[in-house]
Amino acid sequence: MHGGTGDKKMGLVAATSLVVANMVGTGLFLLPSSLAAVGSISVFGWLVSTLGATALGLVFVRLSSSAPKAGGPYAYARDAVGPFAAFQTNTLYWGASVLGNVAIAVSVTGYLAVFAHVLESPVPACICTILVIWLFVWLNTRGASSVGHFTTITTVAGILPVAVVGLLGWFWFDRGVFDAGWNPSNMPAASAVMTSASIALWAFLGVESAAVSAGVIENPKRNVPLATIMGLAISAVIYVSCCTVIMGILPNAQLQSSHAPFAEVASVMLGPWAGSVIAIAAILKASGSLVGWILIAAQSSQAAATDGMFPQSFSRLNANGMPARNLVVTGVLMTALVILTASPTLSEQFSRITNATVILMALPYIYSVMAMWRMDRAAHRTDHLAASIVVGVAACLYCVGVAIGQSHDLVFKAMIALLLTTPLFALVRLQDGQPRVG
């Protein structure tokens, strides 16, 4: 982030809002369906995930208080761990962003299916999701101002479904429905908690927002930690409240296959008209998020290309100042992922994508912990050193737990992706005229 003049910087309220806005995104709209496969026992998974996300947030607080850097995990890995770690971080972070964008596009299709039931079938759903992707890739090529106007308008719409379901839904909450869906797969309790905690990391991606933006926040040593903790607490309450109340209104079997859980709950509460209104709000919010995150994915790879960590073509700009070729490549990859992850139901497709996303994010977060420890040592920083070690260990254990909570097949595929980053790094550095891998 670039610094600005004092009167243009964000205060505590704005910084907290930034954290909440980045964390409470479209993941909320289909996440209850993903967690329904585990059951309402996932409420304990939320507790574990909240503690893990708090540790991660404190890692970035520590990093930003030492040396605020634009670029987040990539920049910290580059400066404190080395170029290979930076390349791995950027590649996995970018890959996770691309995957996450597909999940957002799937959620758009899921809520569109409220009005066009044909989209509940796999083939029409895939076609619709691909069209949604390319519509917003095109919008990104039009310039940052177009993206900004669109996301500002659509973000306001996201408040409606959260407020209606998260607050009013408790009047329709049925403890019997909640208990009946406690552990539908009869998983061991520990496995159920770890699995749901792993899934829930998707909800907390973005916990580092205030720390990464420290350069544009007033009094960052005070406000960044407060904004991180307050934003995390508010987001956790929203997520837990909405997911819990939905699990107490919709029967577990219905929730598992739901492509629009918020709309279905609103229909039960207030009638079909409410479901339609909530669906429209969710579509607008998801569309705004997709536009913004496509831009973020493109900017991430553009920054790495400028540093020689990605092919140089990713940094070329069009007449509107946007990395058009980069955006097209991102769109092609997202299209391929839509096809590769196609599932019988949209909720199942969403789950597969988000599970892959969170496991890719684990290593960049661990590198951030390493960066924190190395920067502390380099600066001979001794304040709160014991707390720094404990928080870092807790964050690492949570990231490892995310992998443990996933299927063996997914962990195997993630390991293949991780191994491939080694020859890719060598190839990119050779093309950049720097034939070294360290």
Side-chain angles (χ1 to χ4, degrees), residues 48-313:
V48 173
S49 195
T50 300
L51 293 174
T54 299
L56 288 170
L58 291 174
V59 167
F60 286 100
V61 165
R62 180 81 169 178
L63 285 167
S64 66
S65 66
S66 297
K69 293 180 184 294
Y74 164 69
Y76 289 119
R78 177 194 63 204
D79 295 346
V81 187
F84 178 53
F87 177 79
Q88 280 192 315
T89 295
N90 179 73
T91 302
L92 296 176
Y93 198 93
W94 177 70
S97 297
V98 172
L99 270 169
N101 288 342
V102 175
I104 297 173
V106 168
S107 70
V108 174
T109 300
Y111 280 86
L112 283 172
V114 172
F115 307 100
H117 295 298
V118 67
L119 296 179
E120 295 176 12
S121 301
V123 174
C126 279
I127 293 172
C128 179
T129 302
I130 290 169
L131 290 175
V132 166
I133 287 169
W134 284 103
L135 171 64
F136 295 131
V137 166
W138 171 81
L139 182 61
N140 266 278
T141 66
R142 306 303 299 166
S145 61
S146 298
V147 173
H149 292 319
F150 185 80
T151 54
T152 299
I153 294 170
T154 56
T155 296
V156 178
I159 298 171
L160 182 62
V162 173
V164 170
V165 175
L167 296 177
L168 298 181
W170 290 102
F171 292 103
W172 283 265
F173 181 84
D174 186 334
R175 178 63 184 271
V177 173
F178 182 83
D179 289 344
W182 181 253
N183 190 355
S185 301
N186 294 315
M187 298 172 63
S191 297
V193 171
M194 285 309 302
T195 299
S196 57
S198 179
I199 295 171
L201 176 59
W202 167 260
F204 291 118
L205 297 182
V207 67
E208 70 271 20
S209 299
V212 173
S213 306
V216 293
I217 294 177
E218 295 175 355
N219 192 6
K221 288 191 175 181
R222 170 185 177 271
N223 288 340
V224 167
L226 287 175
T228 299
I229 299 305
M230 291 168 59
L232 176 63
I234 293 169
S235 301
V237 169
I238 291 172
Y239 273 116
V240 174
S241 177
C242 288
C243 288
T244 302
V245 76
I246 287 175
M247 289 180 176
I249 296 176
L250 294 182
N252 183 268
Q254 179 182 350
L255 183 56
Q256 285 195 45
S257 61
S258 175
H259 56 78
F262 275 78
E264 289 191 29
V265 166
S267 296
V268 171
M269 291 165 51
L270 304 172
W273 68 270
S276 298
V277 171
I278 294 297
I280 292 171
I283 290 167
L284 289 173
K285 169 59 177 172
S287 297
S289 294
L290 181 58
V291 169
W293 278 102
I294 287 175
L295 178 60
I296 288 172
Q299 287 179 326
S300 173
S301 53
Q302 178 189 348
T306 302
D307 285 347
M309 294 289 183
F310 242 46
Q312 287 298 311
S313 59

Side-chain angles (χ1 to χ4, degrees), residues 334-424:
M334 290 171 65
T335 300
L337 287 168
V338 170
I339 297 170
L340 290 173
T341 60
S343 303
T345 65
L346 287 167
S347 59
E348 183 179 337
Q349 184 176 18
F350 180 84
S351 296
R352 292 178 65 183
I353 295 169
T354 54
N355 288 344
T357 301
V358 297
I359 201 169
L360 287 179
M361 284 299 300
L363 185 63
Y365 280 149
I366 288 176
Y367 275 140
S368 294
V369 174
M370 292 174 60
M372 175 182 71
W373 287 337
R374 296 195 70 172
M375 289 173 68
D376 280 352
R377 182 177 180 180
H380 303 288
R381 188 175 181 183
T382 58
D383 61 301
H384 307 296
L385 185 60
S388 172
I389 294 172
V390 171
V391 165
V393 170
C396 288
L397 288 175
Y398 177 55
C399 290
V400 172
V402 165
I404 294 173
Q406 298 293 348
S407 68
H408 292 169
D409 180 62
L410 184 57
V411 173
F412 173 77
K413 290 177 180 177
M415 177 59 70
I416 297 299
L418 182 61
L419 291 174
L420 287 174
T421 60
T422 302
L424 283 175

